[in-house]
Each structure stands twice: as structure tokens, then as C-alpha cells.
Amino acid sequence: MSLIKRQFVLSLLLLLLCQAPVAREYDPDNGEEINEVCAGCHGEYGQGSEDGEYPRLAAQPPGWMAKQLNLFKDRKRPNIAMIEYVDDRQMPEEDIQDVSIFLSQIKLKTKLEPVDETAPDFDAYARLLESKKLMQIPLAEGDVGRGKKLYAEECASCHGKQGWGSHKKDTPMLAGQYTNYLWRQVEKLRKRLRIHEEDEPDKELLDDVKDADLKDIFAYLSTMDD
Ligand code: HEC
Ligand code: HEC
């Protein structure tokens, strides 16, 4: 190949390389820093609030959380509490990605391992920190056996066999989420303030599920938090 030809090919390659979209790397420090803002409502570990006012975020699918943040930002999903935190100035797309990944990687336990608190190497402070990362969903009333069957028939295909959602399919967990919060979202979905299935935005699948059935489904899910 002549020198000129070679230079031409090289510069062409360089041009192509420069134009290829470069995937941005996840920045865990940034994710952690952004989460300090979220922690004011959702808790330091994304555990939400016990009364279900603020949902649990820990271990939810990152793609799904990023999608919700963009829906809040674009005012396509109403969330008055969060609107001032998600405008473009406060939350550019990189921050949305980082905080979503950061939260998706937090694992909350539902029980502490038994330890000997009288052992000489017992670390009371570490134990305290660990206990703060515990999360339990209070048992909801209803027929758990019936709920299990209904859940398997009507919800499991998307929300996962055990109710833990899917990071691959970007579906949120229902087990491990506060029952009050789930009921509130059922209302919003039925009022079309939220869209359940993207390919059928006008049809709400929960319109066809009776409240008595949902009650049993949520009773079952509240037993599946660990
Ligand atoms: C001032 C309180 C407040 C702050 C701060 C806040 N949130 Fe929220 N967030 C809420 C409330 C309230 C909801 C539930 C809204 C609803 O009922 O639909 C919510 C819902 C969410 C949801 C949807 C969860 C679900 O299961 O549907 C995500 C994701 C979320 N917040 C992420 C964040 C992130 C990330 C931050 C930090 C950048 C943050 N939030 C900061 C109050 C807050
Ligand atoms: C075809 C798939 C599919 C089926 C079946 C399905 N869901 Fe969902 N569900 C989703 C998706 C996807 C979302 C997230 C929507 C969004 O916010 O973008 C969701 C969200 C929810 C939410 C809101 C959760 C949150 O944290 O914000 C509730 C509550 C819910 N579903 C309940 C149910 C129940 C109960 C059933 C069974 C009766 C069910 N879903 C069946 C796909 C499905």
C-alpha cells in the first residue's frame, strides 16, 4: 500500500473511532454522592420508609429506576415530592444512571446472623450498622395460599416466580416492597397516571383483577420478603 493510501485508511479509521458512541463507565462515587439526596426520603440504603410513604429502591432493576427518574423529570409519572430533584440541572442523565446502578447493587438482609455478643472480637458498631440494613415487610392480611396461586397465574410471568422482579426484563419487585405502597400504585395504574404495559398503554391489566384477589396476592407477597 502506498504511504498516502495508508495514511488515508488510517485517518478514516480514526474518524470512525471518534464517532463511535463511547459507553460511559459507571462511577460508583458519584452514585453514592447522589444517593445522599435520595436518602433523605428513601433511607440511606434505599430501604424506603416503614409506612410505605417512600418506596424501597435497594436492589430494584437499574434500567427500570432510570426509566422512572426520566418519567418524573418529563412529568409523565406524577411525583410532586421529587420534581425539584430531577430537573436537568439537578439530575443530568449521567447522575440518573450512576444513582440507579448504585441503588440496584444494595443488598438488604431480612435477618441478622446470630453472633456471640460476649466474644472478645464482637464489634458492636459493625453490628449496629448491619442492623440498619435490615428490612422486613410487615405481614399483610389475606389468604396466602390463594394469593400464591393467583400470583403465579397472573403476575409471575413479568414480576418473577418469587416476586423479586427482573433486572433483565426491567420489571420491579413486588415482594420486598411495602404493601401500602403497592396499593397506592394500583390506584395510580388504574387511574392511568402510570402505564403498566408499554405496548398496551390504554389497557390496564389490574382493571380485570378484583381487590379481593389483589389482597390475597399482596398477603402472599408479604411472606416472600426473604
Ligand atoms: C422529598 C422526598 C424524596 C426524595 C428526596 C427522593 N424521592 Fe424518590 N420518591 C419519593 C416519593 C414520595 C415516591 C413515590 C411516588 C408515588 O407514590 O408514585 C418516590 C418514588 C421513587 C421511585 C419509584 C419507585 C417505585 O417503586 O415506583 C424511584 C425510582 C425514586 N423515587 C428514586 C429516587 C432517587 C434516585 C432519588 C435521589 C436522586 C429520590 N428518589 C429522591 C420521594 C422522594
Ligand atoms: C405483562 C407483564 C406484567 C404483568 C403480567 C404484571 N405486571 Fe405489574 N408491572 C409490569 C411492569 C413492566 C411494571 C413497571 C411499569 C413502569 O413503571 O414502567 C409493573 C409495575 C407494577 C406495579 C408498580 C410497582 C412499583 O414499585 O412501582 C405494581 C403494584 C404491579 N405491577 C402489580 C402487578 C400485579 C399485582 C400483577 C398481577 C395481577 C402484575 N403487576 C402483572 C409488568 C407486568
Side-chain angles (χ1 to χ4, degrees):
M1 222 190 278
S2 74
L3 192 63
I4 295 199
K5 233 181 182 174
R6 200 179 303 161
Q7 272 182 344
F8 175 73
V9 172
L10 270 178
S11 45
L12 206 71
L13 269 176
L14 207 68
L15 198 79
L16 276 173
L17 269 177
C18 292
Q19 287 185 338
V22 186
R24 195 184 146 271
E25 263 195 50
Y26 165 52
D27 178 349
D29 294 333
N30 189 42
E32 187 171 8
E33 200 181 310
I34 305 293
N35 187 49
E36 285 170 18
V37 177
C38 322
C41 294
H42 293 281
E44 189 179 350
Y45 305 108
Q47 71 273 42
S49 62
E50 271 169 49
D51 59 3
E53 176 62 25
Y54 303 115
R56 176 241 189 94
L57 302 174
Q60 290 278 23
W64 175 76
M65 283 194 282
K67 178 184 157 200
Q68 303 310 304
L69 290 166
N70 276 305
L71 289 172
F72 298 148
K73 185 191 270 199
D74 298 340
R75 300 183 191 236
K76 289 187 179 147
R77 175 177 167 188
N79 188 340
I80 295 166
M82 277 180 60
I83 197 71
E84 64 175 299
Y85 300 98
V86 288
D87 65 43
D88 276 319
R89 200 168 30 88
Q90 302 273 5
M91 281 278 268
E93 188 58 32
E94 301 90 77
D95 289 357
I96 288 185
Q97 295 297 332
D98 286 345
V99 76
S100 298
I101 297 174
F102 178 78
L103 284 160
S104 75
Q105 293 178 349
I106 298 180
K107 305 236 178 331
L108 298 173
K109 290 187 182 173
T110 52
K111 294 189 201 75
L112 285 179
E113 324 293 340
V115 291
D116 177 6
E117 300 198 356
T118 58
D121 62 348
F122 173 69
D123 182 344
Y125 183 63
R127 188 73 171 169
L128 178 73
L129 287 185
E130 218 189 315
S131 71
K132 280 194 176 173
K133 270 188 161 177
L134 283 186
M135 179 173 168
Q136 278 158 341
I137 301 298
L139 291 178
E141 246 180 75
D143 182 337
V144 172
R146 191 171 168 271
K148 181 176 180 178
K149 195 169 158 279
L150 287 167
Y151 177 82
E153 285 164 9
E154 306 199 27
C155 324
S157 60
C158 297
H159 289 283
K161 263 196 190 139
Q162 316 274 328
W164 281 91
S166 160
H167 282 219
K168 243 196 229 141
K169 291 193 234 165
D170 272 337
T171 29
M173 61 177 72
L174 301 179
Q177 186 58 277
Y178 300 101
T179 310
N180 287 352
Y181 184 74
L182 295 175
W183 275 116
R184 207 160 85 222
Q185 298 314 308
V186 168
E187 237 171 80
K188 292 189 183 185
L189 288 160
R190 283 177 175 162
K191 283 189 186 149
R192 310 295 193 267
L193 293 171
R194 286 188 66 183
I195 294 169
H196 207 149
E197 280 179 284
E198 216 133 83
D199 18 351
E200 293 204 75
D202 301 322
K203 214 183 148 285
E204 172 47 53
L205 59 91
L206 295 178
D207 284 350
D208 304 326
V209 186
K210 291 191 204 78
D211 278 1
D213 293 352
L214 276 177
K215 187 175 171 200
D216 292 344
I217 290 173
F218 290 161
Y220 161 65
L221 288 166
S222 74
T223 67
M224 295 297 291
D225 64 341
D226 54 11

